[in-house]
Amino acid sequence: MKRIFEIDPWLITSHQLEVKDKRLQESITAIGNGYMGLRGNFEEGYSGDHLQGTYIAGTWFPDKTRVGWWKNGYPEYFGKVINAPSFIDIGITVNGVRVDLAKSKFRDFTLTLDMHQGLLRRSFVLEQETATVRFEFARFLSLRVRQAAFIQVTATVLSGNAAIKFDAGINGNVVNEDSNYDDHFWLPDATDATAGYIQMTTRPNPFKVPQFTVLVQQALRRDGVPIQGNVSSEPGRVNAQVTAKLAAGEQVTLEKDVVVVTSRDVAKDAQLVATQKLMQTAQAQSFRENLRSHEALWAQRWRGSDVTIDGDVAAQQGIRFNIAQMFMTYYGEDKRLNIGPKGFTGEKYGGATYWDTEAYVVPMYLAVTPPDVTHALLQYRHDQLPGAYHNAQQQGLAGALFPMVTFNGIECHNEWEITFEELHRNAAVAFAIYQYTAYTGDESYVNGPGLEVLVGIARFWADRVHFSQRKQMYMLHGVTGPNEYENNVNNNWYTNTMASWCLEYALQRLAKGNADVVAKLAVSDTEAAHWQDIIDRMYRPEDKQLGIFVQNDTFLDKDIRPASSIPADQRPINQHWSWDRILRSPFIKQADVLQGIYFLNDRFTQAEKERNFDFYEPLTVHESSLSASIHAILAAELGKSAKAVELYARTARLDLDNYNNDTDDGLHITSMSGGWLAIVQGFAGMRYNHDTLSFKPFLPDKWHSYSFKLNYRGRIIGVRIGKQAEFTLLDGPELDVMVFDQQVHLQEGVHDAQRIDI
Amino acid sequence: MKRIFEIDPWLITSHQLEVKDKRLQESITAIGNGYMGLRGNFEEGYSGDHLQGTYIAGTWFPDKTRVGWWKNGYPEYFGKVINAPSFIDIGITVNGVRVDLAKSKFRDFTLTLDMHQGLLRRSFVLEQETATVRFEFARFLSLRVRQAAFIQVTATVLSGNAAIKFDAGINGNVVNEDSNYDDHFWLPDATDATAGYIQMTTRPNPFKVPQFTVLVQQALRRDGVPIQGNVSSEPGRVNAQVTAKLAAGEQVTLEKDVVVVTSRDVAKDAQLVATQKLMQTAQAQSFRENLRSHEALWAQRWRGSDVTIDGDVAAQQGIRFNIAQMFMTYYGEDKRLNIGPKGFTGEKYGGATYWDTEAYVVPMYLAVTPPDVTHALLQYRHDQLPGAYHNAQQQGLAGALFPMVTFNGIECHNEWEITFEELHRNAAVAFAIYQYTAYTGDESYVNGPGLEVLVGIARFWADRVHFSQRKQMYMLHGVTGPNEYENNVNNNWYTNTMASWCLEYALQRLAKGNADVVAKLAVSDTEAAHWQDIIDRMYRPEDKQLGIFVQNDTFLDKDIRPASSIPADQRPINQHWSWDRILRSPFIKQADVLQGIYFLNDRFTQAEKERNFDFYEPLTVHESSLSASIHAILAAELGKSAKAVELYARTARLDLDNYNNDTDDGLHITSMSGGWLAIVQGFAGMRYNHDTLSFKPFLPDKWHSYSFKLNYRGRIIGVRIGKQAEFTLLDGPELDVMVFDQQVHLQEGVHDAQRIDI
């Protein structure tokens, strides 16, 4: 754990430049607007260790797969989000000396991410022998004009005289740190110093992945007045210099407006015109006005999603940070996009789509955003069905295998134990359809496009199982469960259980699907009967003596001992132990059996849940950012409130406290829902089975109260849990909810809140 | 199967240039002398598809490991034999037109590898409009001067007039096809056109692997008379041109003598002097004289090793090809070397040392070469003990883990399922010590250096097992057995059995070891007792009902069906099926349980052997070149003579008939012992337990007879199996052998042969 920012309910602030942890500081101060995003790099540049990061959603490069020995069925490339042209650059020299916080003398450093509106501010006082100058920076990526970034820097001379030179530029000569063969994914197309833009295209590739062209333009304002500056260029780079000679007490403000357009939306030849139009829109407002309209849109987002925690400011900060970062990554505006594990905050995991979206993000987005946001995430998978069929075919199998990692539906990871074996992602895609349908009550997706997805998935599982003559049961050999600290196991209980559930759900929905879709899918009686046979005779390993589901065959033969037996200096084990040792150990990376119990929650008795939790949680090292939340929810359900609170702390401030010592690479965006899930599904015990919202809330000891909002079937419901549980219908038609198995009627305007003792 | 050479007992001949199978033709016509080797590339060059290959033993490059995701414990580099400077080059133009069999018109092509002495001959008649010229090439790598290669080309004008220009060169600007990052492993140091040499050094590396420097020099003779030619050079390349204008009936012979010296033997600065001295020795004899002395040394090798098969010329050719190619790869002159799976015939597998040496080559070399050749192979592992300790430590384990792949003792493969898990190689190293000791009767190795190896190995196993509380037995989870078509399995019967055997043998030999070595090793009573406990309680999966040993946990849950059920057009499965499908299938790549039964042959009853063979062999696809021989031996032992003969055919002519469709990459050198083992241990039933040589011979139906020689404890014994079995003591003191449990006394000179009816 390492906490480098101060505790505050709405701000992420530090008064210290973290030289050793610059990358960590950059990750946490990343901002985005769903269209693009930036790590917390410094406008003026920084010569110390850091990770340059500018990312434009949906622009990626298929980097030729690098493996030791090729195996049939391997994906040909690993898709990678591209480090995009850097457009925040405003180099600064004062009296001829370059400002570089890795070298310059400075004081009063402040860095603040304002979570209200995704605004990043920074200031410091530069101390030269003959002058001291305060620099104040602000930047945001607009929600109003999503292609636009606004950057402002103000220099105030505190003493002496300062000749200040700003060098505002766009630099396309950037590289990915994570690149298999070539450093440069971009080739320059056009550069125009006077018009202030560069146009770049991604390198050609042999994999039929489209090349992307982006055009990035900057325009400057000095003290609010447009200015061109002294321009220059080289291929892939434009610069404009603005100079100011200031005496003590004088100040200058430079504003840099940036517009980014990509070939995803605008064809290459039309990009310049489109950009100039957008630039006009951007420049029609001042920096302050642009910020105000941006903030208004953020306020609207917060109205339906804010969570308050009274009595624990660190927890309050953690949950808001998570919500803000998630919304900065994705808010459903573009159905071709999804949520990468690092969002716009780093290169790791290639920036592609993982099962995290369905398993961890969907359950939260359903409740904190309008339904069309989640619907867009579902639609994304449907649109990628051809890729899923391709993936199954690559393995010699029928049906649709959704990818573990993808940009376009085609699997693009490069390790067989993930690509070929971590099949459970296919179930998560189906389960998200179930969740969406159960929560929203909207059956239009599952009866149409969703049914195509479900049947594709069912056909995959039906072909992937084999029938064991010896045990007279269906089995899934050679899989990797959610616990990636074991690979290539047989009969992973979670995978077998969820595969069977997929078949069951597909059969159930086929009976209700739109006639034309059902006809097109043509599931014969024989096929359906075969699915039913698999459901009936699926092998799900259990240990009757221990009364638990067994994670996979022979798991219980391991040297079973609790994670607490691992010496502290060997944690996290993935940074200290060889892969061999990890695989053989009994230690579990993240919920596996318990993930299944979480998903299919109403199928298990309390005693079953308890025995499995008590067996598996102590073995779990929670070294996936996706782990703590699921355990917190189950702990809460089982009345283990202290455990639930402990696990909540790990998930809610995972990045802010750098729990897993890897946030320098970028934030764990897709696991940021964990804190919300732990509060809402855990502490408040929210469930939504059978068209009913229900709650079994408790209040963590140290908290005075907590509150959250639910978007539920055309309503906004406010929930506040203090000594009592309070339910308020903020918007929408009346409704009954269940609280501790007691029916509570909510009606707008009738009462401020329904209060129930807990 | 593809047979591109003619059947002949001593020659490998073709009358056709294989344009589509040029690489295959090159592999089969490779020659070597243990110091270096060459694929069957053409002296005059060839512009069609081919694989350039010149290899110098022990010169390699640590190519930075390429993997998808790094895992703790991974080796940092993959060692690769370097494609060395090409020194056979003799470019030819006739009347100004370049001779290139990919383009030129020619007839009467003949290509012959003479296995008597590793001599490669080639001839063709070039047909131009104004001239026809016969070209005859011969080349060999000398056994007398191992640093020397001799190449001869004779041009005879059959009609017309021919201006012939030879361009003899050495070219260091060569690349490996298999290179992870950079094409060039070599950097030029010095080039001297007049002295006719280049000196090259391998690129620097960050892994502390020494750089290698080689100096390659050529000298020419025209019609036997030294000649310099018209010399030229560029960095890393020298050339000398010789021209001849010939009328019909005239001929010219150009001889090119080459000497190669490396920094493994001669420091960089001393290489030129050393090379010139060797060149003098080489040139002191004519090509023909050099060939004669080379042939004499080959004859000596054949005297103790030749196998004859009367009645099956294809089989005869196969076994001689294997013996010749193995001897061309390794004859024990340099203890720092070992036997790469492809020898000097290709780049695949990096040219490094695998477990193949101990498991498949040692049992044959013990009998066909003097004991010091095998001793050198054992010594190699002892000398690499520090690397083995390093490997275990990389996995967080005690003791010594010999590498799966290495040049220097340090593991250099790059897949976790091999590197971290295919641990059985450690047992093969120990078993080779047992075999050497049992066969030769020489205990000096096992009591000294060998004991250090055994204890290092034992300590590794003792730390690698875990104790299963549930089963109250020791287990080995997370291993890969010899059957690489399953990965990361638990309790592989072979590995568990051999690990236990290693502990047993280490304890047994510790009791007899040299006092100083035993003292230094300091195995305490507690440690020894722990080893004994592991031996006593090692889990070895069995199925009582089927009466078989189980390949690994849950193997019997698979969809068990015979390999004969695989459609022919899907064989070999490794070229048709996805890795996922292969792993889940019941199909076995090579002997696994049966490998253990082969090694520990006297520990199992005939019924046990039979049940296991009958269960596992039908599941086996024999897609490893190492598979058929072990099965042939067991089949023979079980009286399944038809099966034994069928499997023998696959191993004895694996490369000549391109059975596995991959000989284009190079020959399967380390599996070439398979044919010999199948004949001697299989058909002749040779065993050597308990200081006794024993035989249970049979004669394959179609053969009239077969014969082989055994170097055994200072003797050479001739064995001939026809309608009777004949045993002749060709050299050395008298001896009793067992034939069908009957004692047979062999005495030199007393009888020509002891004959026993079979």
Side-chain angles (χ1 to χ4, degrees), chain B residues 145-167:
Chain B
V145 187
R146 295 174 62 242
Q147 298 86 347
F150 296 95
I151 305 157
Q152 186 188 60
V153 52
T154 299
T156 309
V157 179
L158 302 183
S159 71
N161 291 302
I164 300 174
K165 191 169 76 183
F166 296 108
D167 185 8

Side-chain angles (χ1 to χ4, degrees), chain A residues 658-669:
Chain A
N658 195 20
Y659 260 108
N660 285 357
N661 194 28
D662 61 358
T663 296
D664 52 331
D665 289 341
L667 302 174
H668 299 81
I669 296 295

